[in-house]
Amino acid sequence: MSRNHPPPQSARVAVAGRDASAVSGKGEPLVEVAGLFKRYGAITAVDGVDLTVRRGEVYGFLGPNGAGKTTTLRILTGLIAPSSGSVRVLGGLPGDPRVLARTGSLIEAPACYPYLSGRNNLRVLARHAGAPATRVDRVLETVDLTGRAGDRFATYSLGMKQRLGVAAALLKDPELVILDEPTNGLDPAGMRDMRRLVRELGTGDRTVLLSSHLLGEVQQICDRVGILSAGRMVAECDVEELRGEQGLLVTADPVDRAREHLAGLLGPGAVGEHEGALRVRVAPERAPEISRMLVAAGVDLFGIRIDERALEDVFFELTSEKETSDVR
Ligand code: ATP
């Protein structure tokens, strides 16, 4: 199982309270959902969802606004009850205190006292959660807030507040971390920091389940993805699997001659167009062969690269949301 952008080397070691080498039961199902429904009167927010999250993975729950992501995550954390369906979290029922003791979540921002420092807010939350006070400094370090831990919460940026929320979710050193749209509302730097943090959390045997409406984000962070559309799960697989057949984007001149030669080699159905380039359905390993063939045919080759847009195409196909602009 591979991520598109593996975390930087330094990120592999700095995971609060956990020895990344102590991997146990990796791959076993940790969250198992079957036939889940949630209805609010005439609205069916969750419409027969099945999903499995395995130990040690970063699982991305992807879908446009209103797809039912938050509702599903609220059910998994025991905040609301399902209308019907079967849900097992860490081998128990959602909301069971034994399950909650092993789960950390950020679904709604924790209520923080604006006049208390970040550290003191965490101390209050640690006491409430029954977590040892020694965890406070450890989780502050994990979310990179040590330097500002003594400042009042009211002075924090949105990104810092969000990271403090993640710190609160980590107080119990949970096996499973559930984060609802952790980058929502953050500026680009805040998003980058949060993505880096989530990748760190997902190292070792900790399991992370996050929701997002950003395709690129899920691609960067996650091992596996579940795509939700209008309350239904339309795909669940490895990010790499979802990407489907890869291809090449060829920029050449004259483009007609290049198209003719490529179609001659690969068949007319294998050559399309995308933003001025030729989109060629072929294994990327054949790039050198294709370059040589085009150059020998008298075509000027300006660029040949792997077609990275296939996942986006698959996503829009699956959700039939071609016109939506909130999924990037
Ligand atoms: P977003 O990213 O916008 O939060 P989402 O994928 O998390 O979207 P949900 O918040 O789970 O989606 O909402 C799914 C659907 O259920 C929406 O149509 C929403 O209006 C509806 N819904 C959610 N909670 C309630 C509620 N308490 N009462 C009535 N309808 C609700």
Side-chain angles (χ1 to χ4, degrees), residues 104-117:
S105 61
L106 180 60
I107 292 187
E108 276 137 22
C112 282
Y113 296 99
Y115 53 86
L116 287 186
S117 67

Side-chain angles (χ1 to χ4, degrees), residues 40 43-45 63-72 180-181 184 213 228:
Y40 293 104
I43 297 171
T44 302
N65 292 129
K69 305 179 295 293
T70 303
T71 305
T72 305
D180 189 22
E181 299 259 8
N184 218 11
H213 64 277
L228 202 64

Side-chain angles (χ1 to χ4, degrees), residues 37 136 141 181 247 265 273 302 328:
F37 285 86
V136 169
E141 198 185 307
E181 299 259 8
L265 180 70
E273 286 205 30
F302 290 94
R328 299 188 297 271

Side-chain angles (χ1 to χ4, degrees), residues 7-234:
Q9 209 57 33
S10 60
R12 295 182 182 277
V13 287
V15 179
R18 257 166 208 285
D19 175 0
S21 63
V23 177
S24 56
K26 200 159 176 134
E28 70 175 293
L30 224 60
V31 176
E32 293 173 281
V33 172
L36 183 67
F37 285 86
K38 180 67 186 180
R39 297 182 193 89
Y40 293 104
I43 297 171
T44 302
V46 179
D47 195 3
V49 162
D50 300 329
L51 77 93
T52 307
V53 181
R54 303 182 194 129
R55 185 182 294 280
E57 71 185 6
V58 179
Y59 184 104
F61 205 21
L62 177 69
N65 292 129
K69 305 179 295 293
T70 303
T71 305
T72 305
L73 297 186
R74 286 167 66 87
I75 292 170
L76 294 181
T77 46
L79 289 169
I80 53 172
S83 302
S84 60
S86 141
V87 184
R88 304 290 288 177
V89 180
L90 293 160
L93 292 173
D96 182 314
R98 285 166 300 187
V99 172
L100 291 179
R102 296 160 61 198
T103 309
S105 61
L106 180 60
I107 292 187
E108 276 137 22
C112 282
Y113 296 99
Y115 53 86
L116 287 186
S117 67
R119 180 180 284 111
N120 281 339
N121 268 295
L122 286 181
R123 283 180 177 147
V124 171
L125 291 165
R127 225 168 319 173
H128 181 70
T134 49
R135 285 286 298 161
V136 169
D137 281 335
R138 192 79 176 90
V139 297
L140 281 167
E141 198 185 307
T142 303
V143 303
D144 200 20
L145 272 181
T146 306
R148 296 288 305 271
D151 295 354
R152 284 191 303 131
F153 178 79
T155 67
Y156 283 9
S157 68
L158 188 61
M160 291 164 68
K161 287 178 178 167
Q162 197 78 333
R163 278 186 282 139
L164 193 74
V166 175
L170 297 174
L171 282 167
K172 291 176 284 180
D173 195 12
E175 286 162 60
L176 173 65
V177 180
I178 297 178
L179 306 171
D180 189 22
E181 299 259 8
T183 61
N184 218 11
L186 302 186
D187 65 15
M191 286 174 124
R192 182 203 56 207
D193 291 346
M194 182 57 74
R195 287 174 186 157
R196 199 177 289 162
L197 171 59
V198 172
R199 284 202 300 266
E200 282 180 29
L201 297 180
T203 52
D205 64 348
R206 199 193 300 275
T207 308
V208 181
L209 165 57
L210 69 101
S211 71
S212 176
H213 64 277
L214 302 176
L215 176 67
E217 176 163 290
V218 168
Q219 260 185 290
Q220 282 176 47
I221 304 178
C222 300
D223 301 305
R224 282 209 313 139
V225 59
I227 297 184
L228 202 64
S229 177
R232 296 201 175 148
M233 195 71 123
V234 289

